[in-house]
Amino acid sequence: ENEAGVLESITTKKGTYIIFEFSGKEVQNVVVAKDTGEDIYVERPSGVALLISFKTGNDARFNLPKGFKKKTPEWTFANGILEVLFKR
């Protein structure tokens, strides 16, 4: 686990899941947008970022590694765990 809340990334036949832990927060929306900044957690950025909106504000941004396209992911949030699925 790193400081940014990312627990792990899992690739299956269905697609790639990115799993985050946000205890005490409530996720309102998850979108993918053009990346506009630096991110120390990604060695080879793809030019797109995952934007996570919380009900309290203070949105989070995570650059996605190469291979991720700017498309809408599926996501679920329960008990502080956010699962984001990028279908193949």
Side-chain angles (χ1 to χ4, degrees):
E1 179 180 345
N2 68 31
E3 296 175 32
V6 177
L7 292 178
E8 63 183 301
S9 174
I10 302 168
T11 301
T12 67
K13 290 181 181 178
K14 188 174 182 179
T16 299
Y17 290 86
I18 302 176
I19 302 169
F20 300 87
E21 192 260 325
F22 294 114
S23 295
K25 296 188 178 188
E26 192 171 342
V27 173
Q28 190 170 20
N29 196 21
V30 177
V31 296
V32 175
K34 183 178 178 185
D35 175 37
T36 58
E38 295 288 322
D39 192 327
I40 62 171
Y41 301 107
V42 176
E43 291 179 21
R44 296 174 48 219
S46 62
V48 294
L50 188 63
L51 304 176
I52 302 168
S53 301
F54 302 104
K55 285 200 172 193
T56 57
N58 300 329
D59 298 348
R61 179 188 60 80
F62 299 93
N63 288 351
L64 295 171
K66 285 205 180 289
F68 285 88
K69 306 284 186 230
K70 186 177 183 257
K71 61 183 179 179
T72 304
E74 293 179 6
W75 61 277
T76 58
F77 182 72
N79 300 318
I81 302 296
L82 171 65
E83 291 183 8
V84 180
L85 169 61
F86 289 88
K87 288 187 173 181
R88 289 188 183 255

